[in-house]
Amino acid sequence: MTTSIAPTDTPAAACCGPDETEGTTTRGTSAGPTDVEHLARTFKALGDPTRVRLLAIVAASTGGEACVCDLVEPVGLSQPTVSHHLKILVDAGLLRREKRGVWAYYALVPSAGEGVARELLGITAPRGPSAT
């Protein structure tokens, strides 16, 4: 059985997206390579169940912050492994770190989740008149 596809008058750029050298454009919205890389780094950080769990524990902690020493037991990992996961979350801009003596305390970055959502919508949302 042979399937044929009828040619169209639509230019390749209209259906296939931009040239790789122009940055990433999706549905009419342009995002630079650094925006996309930051968003990918954030999703990669959130792609590990342990890191999502650590975020939830920190968010639910008294005062909105937690010492690394208090995060080891709930996730059942060694302190160096927990510190590694927390570093990835800090590098992704989801947590902030404050050193107090020998211990590090972690807190959620205010509106970090909103910033990720804004970036994602800015990359994928179609351009058009804004609804008010």
Side-chain angles (χ1 to χ4, degrees), residues 10 75 82 86 99 113-115 119:
T10 305
V75 294
V82 171
L86 291 167
K99 183 105 165 150
E114 293 171 13
E119 280 185 56

Side-chain angles (χ1 to χ4, degrees), residues 3-64:
T3 304
S4 64
I5 299 174
T8 65
D9 293 332
T10 305
C15 70
C16 301
D19 184 342
E20 294 270 331
T21 61
E22 296 178 23
T24 302
T25 303
T26 306
R27 290 193 240 161
T29 302
S30 180
T34 55
D35 296 334
V36 174
E37 289 171 13
H38 178 263
L39 193 58
R41 187 171 41 252
T42 302
F43 282 130
K44 185 174 181 181
L46 293 172
D48 186 287
T50 298
R51 291 194 277 269
V52 174
R53 191 165 182 210
L54 286 167
L55 277 175
I57 294 168
V58 170
S61 296
T62 304

Side-chain angles (χ1 to χ4, degrees), residues 42-99:
T42 302
F43 282 130
K44 185 174 181 181
L46 293 172
D48 186 287
T50 298
R51 291 194 277 269
V52 174
R53 191 165 182 210
L54 286 167
L55 277 175
I57 294 168
V58 170
S61 296
T62 304
E65 66 178 15
C67 175
V68 67
C69 59
D70 297 327
L71 298 171
V72 172
E73 187 179 331
V75 294
L77 299 171
S78 67
Q79 187 271 323
T81 302
V82 171
S83 291
H84 169 75
H85 284 297
L86 291 167
K87 180 186 183 315
I88 291 170
L89 291 167
V90 168
D91 291 346
L94 299 168
L95 290 179
R96 66 174 171 77
R97 178 182 184 266
E98 182 182 330
K99 183 105 165 150

